[in-house]
Amino acid sequence: MILETLISALLTVPFAEKGPADTLDSSIIETSVKSVIPIERMSSPVTEVYMLDMKERGIDSPKKLSAIVPNLHIPDYGSAMTSSIYLRGFGSRMENPVLGFYVDDVPVLNKNAYDIDMLDIRRATVFRGPQGTLYGRNSMCGVLSLSTLSPADYSGLRAGIEYGSANSVSANASYYGKTRKGLAIGGGIGFRHSDGFYTNSFTGEKCDPYDGLSLRFRIEKALRPDLYFENIISAGALTQGGWPYRQYIPESGELRETAYNDRCGYKRFNLTEAVKLRLEADNYTLNSISSLQILFDRMDLDQDFTTRSMFTMSQIQREGTLTQEIILKPKAGWKTDWWNWQSGVFAFWKYNRMSAPVNFKQDGIDDLILGNANNNIPEDVAGGYDNPLMFKETGFTIGSEFGTNTYGAALYHESYFSFGNWLLTAGLRLDYEGAVMNYCSDASVHYLFQPTMKDWKRFEILYEGRLNEIQYLEVLPKVSVLYDFGSGANNIFATISKGYRSGGYNTQIFSDILQNKMMNGLMEDLGVYLDNAPAEMTAESTAYRPEKSWNFEVGGHLDKWIGGSHLSGSASAFYILCRDQQITIFPPGMSTGRMMANVGSSRSLGAEATLSYGYKGFSASAAYGYTNARFTDYNDGNHDYSGNRIPYSPEHTLSCRVGYIHPFINSSIVRNISVNADCSAIGRIWWDEANKFMEPFTAQVGADVSISFHKFDLRFRMDNLLNEDYNVFYFKSVGNTFFQRGKPLRWNVGISISL
């Protein structure tokens, strides 16, 4: 299966808000190249999750950070391509995310590659609130930064294998070390397989099998005493099913089992080559981060998700991305006791070649094309025929080809002023972005108009052109103030900052555009002009603008030792104003596509809190987020949704965990036994703009046990112990309503070795 994907592609410690020491022996915790001040002195909430906690909690992808990070929700639905992210009330099902994603300081610019295997991830850090000054585009609500193991900090062999529900298997092996010549080399390989958790009742087969392979190779070396070099190559390939959607029947309230007749699947191959250079001069440090990113993927969908033969869609992408960032920071000679700073420049270029044909079958032709056309033909023109217009073909394809160039450049600076216990931060970023798209859609059918024609006639339509609609400059300021109570980790802060996420083009709506043009073109070809013909959408109307927000926040951090116990945490309250909000909408009627639109403005207010406590072998932690996000101005021409809740973003997130580690000090075999229980809860979630459908607050319970020996560890974990029945997604297609159920009770057992 993996080989098939490759071939086709070519066509830590218990969770706490304040990061504690790393869990790997004799290692150094590396920070981001943009970290100038300690995390506990940042004027925004930060969550860190370390390697040991990821293992124990079964966090093998970014989606499983949901709720562990307050107000973060990354629903697990669809496929790995589906990386919808909601944070502090904002997010979207498609196109650009509200959370920036970095791996080893390299930005991932396509959210199709967000859902990756957490192979040798040392630490996951989530910065909440707009991070536009330092990170720019698509960091409107925060940034997720992953740090991988470095052979400069860790030496040894690591391996592990797990088996669990649905015949799920995961295995990994890696080695890190140094040569005598000072070259640090490391890398690893990981594999995951699952038979799937959901059954397609129409075929009797699992609809969500999964096979994935991940690779990473890393080289580090001091080329000179003042010049350090890193080269990181990472790659991944996967093939899977997905989209186990169940149709909802409004009249009866019935939620039918998953049943569709055409294939659904997703394949992806991605490769990143990153080069990092660090120059240590007498007075400054200069970091350069360059990357080449390649993503090839293919999605096949039974677009109506029913047993009828309506229409299918394929989306094939070939994308290449170049990024370059240079960051200048002062050393002792340039900075003073009261002033520190960093400045940077960032540029990127991305080219995406996409093919997205929509294949109409008999039911789709009858209902969506001929049905619409025949229903609008006047009786006097129809000549007594119920269906005067006919197609010879039982199926035809609307072809769509797109070539999109997206490019951008940015300059930014951030200064940090210390006055006694006060820390003032001020920053500014200028972000320029543009995009150009070439498009070509076409279709060909043979038609017969029974009142006037005796034989079939060929009809062809071609719609092509070039769009230069997107070009903008964003100014992203930030000002914050922090008061430290003397220990460096007990403080209060206030922040005002601006963020945005990029605009783009609605490629998925071109099928609907061509359908309308085809219907109107056929009528014109016959000399028939319909009074009720739908208004045509044009390519120019498919562009959408950036979404922008202002974030106002106050909060504080706590870190205190009380005797032999340790207490740490944070709390904050925020108010966000958003305009030009991007929302996924569906054209009225029996449409086949969806599109992103700027619908108006909204506001979000909420609060977040985290707390962790440790005493000897006992630990407890909790993270809670509350968000009240509503439209302040949204009227789609048919309905006024102002005042309604923003859909898909949860009102509450809650995560709590308690555990105990019992050490065996005098044992030469067993080091310790760890027992943990946790609970993760999300809700309420409003599924639509009208707030007609809502998912209640739902909690899932998990537990794990680990036995640590001197050379290996044994682990057992269970998730959704109470087998809660809940939904993770809602949408409409061709007038039908669908939900996807969350995963049921599941378990896994594994062994890991460290030498």
Side-chain angles (χ1 to χ4, degrees), residues 305-316:
F305 299 106
T306 69
T307 56
R308 302 186 67 201
S309 295
M310 296 196 72
F311 65 110
T312 64
M313 184 187 77
S314 297
Q315 179 178 286
I316 304 161

Side-chain angles (χ1 to χ4, degrees), residues 332-508:
W334 273 19
K335 70 177 184 179
T336 65
D337 292 338
W338 61 271
W339 181 36
N340 199 355
W341 55 268
Q342 63 175 310
S343 295
V345 58
F346 173 75
F348 79 94
W349 172 79
K350 180 173 66 172
Y351 177 73
N352 183 292
R353 176 77 179 185
M354 179 191 295
S355 176
V358 175
N359 301 304
F360 280 89
K361 298 188 173 184
Q362 188 65 69
D363 291 334
I365 293 173
D366 291 342
D367 289 3
L368 302 177
I369 308 247
L370 293 179
N372 285 336
N374 286 320
N375 288 337
N376 284 296
I377 295 175
E379 292 185 6
D380 58 334
V381 178
Y385 290 90
D386 292 335
N387 296 298
L389 181 64
M390 300 174 61
F391 283 173
K392 181 179 181 180
E393 290 82 2
T394 59
F396 73 95
T397 298
I398 292 181
S400 292
E401 300 285 338
F402 308 97
T404 306
N405 282 282
T406 308
Y407 48 89
L411 294 170
Y412 62 89
H413 174 86
E414 202 164 85
S415 281
Y416 316 92
F417 304 97
S418 298
F419 305 100
N421 290 358
W422 294 92
L423 175 65
L424 175 66
T425 301
L428 184 68
R429 183 184 184 103
L430 300 178
D431 226 9
Y432 168 78
E433 186 167 327
V436 176
M437 184 176 76
N438 295 298
Y439 60 91
C440 178
S441 291
D442 66 297
S444 174
V445 294
H446 292 82
Y447 75 95
L448 177 69
F449 190 64
Q450 296 186 77
T452 60
M453 296 172 57
K454 295 183 179 181
D455 201 0
W456 300 101
K457 182 178 180 181
R458 182 180 178 86
F459 176 80
E460 293 181 294
I461 186 169
L462 176 66
Y463 186 53
E464 60 182 348
R466 178 183 177 91
L467 292 175
N468 299 277
E469 299 294 316
I470 298 177
Q471 198 171 73
Y472 50 84
L473 177 68
E474 294 292 336
V475 181
L476 305 172
K478 173 185 176 181
V479 177
S480 69
V481 60
L482 178 144
Y483 181 81
D484 195 321
F485 291 99
S487 66
N490 295 285
N491 52 61
I492 56 175
F493 65 83
T495 301
I496 300 175
S497 53
K498 183 183 178 183
Y500 86 102
R501 59 174 171 148
S502 302
Y505 297 108
N506 284 296
T507 56
Q508 295 192 25

Side-chain angles (χ1 to χ4, degrees), residues 20 23 106 119 157 192 263 318 515 526 557 565 593 607 637 706:
T23 58
V106 176
L119 175 65
L157 173 68
R192 278 205 296 150
R263 179 183 178 276
R318 302 291 182 264
Q515 285 180 61
L526 290 167
H557 302 105
S565 63
S706 300

Side-chain angles (χ1 to χ4, degrees), residues 402-690:
F402 308 97
T404 306
N405 282 282
T406 308
Y407 48 89
L411 294 170
Y412 62 89
H413 174 86
E414 202 164 85
S415 281
Y416 316 92
F417 304 97
S418 298
F419 305 100
N421 290 358
W422 294 92
L423 175 65
L424 175 66
T425 301
L428 184 68
R429 183 184 184 103
L430 300 178
D431 226 9
Y432 168 78
E433 186 167 327
V436 176
M437 184 176 76
N438 295 298
Y439 60 91
C440 178
S441 291
D442 66 297
S444 174
V445 294
H446 292 82
Y447 75 95
L448 177 69
F449 190 64
Q450 296 186 77
T452 60
M453 296 172 57
K454 295 183 179 181
D455 201 0
W456 300 101
K457 182 178 180 181
R458 182 180 178 86
F459 176 80
E460 293 181 294
I461 186 169
L462 176 66
Y463 186 53
E464 60 182 348
R466 178 183 177 91
L467 292 175
N468 299 277
E469 299 294 316
I470 298 177
Q471 198 171 73
Y472 50 84
L473 177 68
E474 294 292 336
V475 181
L476 305 172
K478 173 185 176 181
V479 177
S480 69
V481 60
L482 178 144
Y483 181 81
D484 195 321
F485 291 99
S487 66
N490 295 285
N491 52 61
I492 56 175
F493 65 83
T495 301
I496 300 175
S497 53
K498 183 183 178 183
Y500 86 102
R501 59 174 171 148
S502 302
Y505 297 108
N506 284 296
T507 56
Q508 295 192 25
I509 205 65
F510 271 79
S511 172
D512 284 81
I513 293 176
L514 205 68
Q515 285 180 61
N516 288 336
K517 287 187 174 294
M518 175 182 291
M519 186 179 71
N520 293 334
L522 282 169
M523 295 299 99
E524 291 178 8
D525 195 46
L526 290 167
V528 177
Y529 297 91
L530 305 179
D531 295 333
N532 298 320
E536 287 192 2
M537 180 183 291
T538 64
E540 287 71 21
S541 60
T542 65
Y544 57 92
R545 302 183 302 278
E547 178 177 311
K548 306 165 189 176
S549 72
W550 279 96
N551 186 83
F552 306 87
E553 188 162 4
V554 294
H557 302 105
L558 169 70
D559 188 81
K560 192 172 184 62
W561 285 92
I562 306 172
S565 63
H566 181 235
L567 181 68
S568 66
S570 74
S572 64
F574 59 84
Y575 183 75
I576 304 172
L577 293 173
C578 177
R579 61 186 177 90
D580 292 329
Q581 184 170 3
Q582 298 171 7
I583 290 289
T584 302
I585 64 173
F586 296 88
M590 301 283 283
S591 62
T592 62
R594 56 183 181 171
M595 61 183 294
M596 185 71 76
N598 301 97
V599 300
S601 59
S602 60
R603 65 98 179 118
S604 176
L605 59 89
E608 301 170 349
T610 65
L611 189 66
S612 68
Y613 175 80
Y615 179 71
K616 295 184 178 180
F618 174 78
S619 64
S621 62
Y624 170 73
Y626 168 76
T627 299
N628 186 314
R630 297 178 183 270
F631 296 112
T632 56
D633 180 18
Y634 178 19
N635 191 320
D636 66 0
N638 297 310
H639 303 92
D640 187 355
Y641 299 119
S642 301
N644 287 9
R645 299 274 188 161
I646 298 175
Y648 297 104
S649 187
E651 181 181 26
H652 304 275
T653 65
L654 173 66
S655 175
C656 53
R657 182 170 170 85
V658 295
Y660 181 75
I661 300 176
H662 180 73
F664 294 90
I665 300 175
N666 298 320
S667 173
S668 60
I669 300 176
V670 181
R671 291 193 299 180
N672 60 66
I673 294 179
S674 172
V675 180
N676 301 279
D678 54 59
C679 177
S680 178
I682 291 176
R684 296 173 292 177
I685 300 175
W686 285 264
W687 290 123
D688 59 340
E689 288 81 2

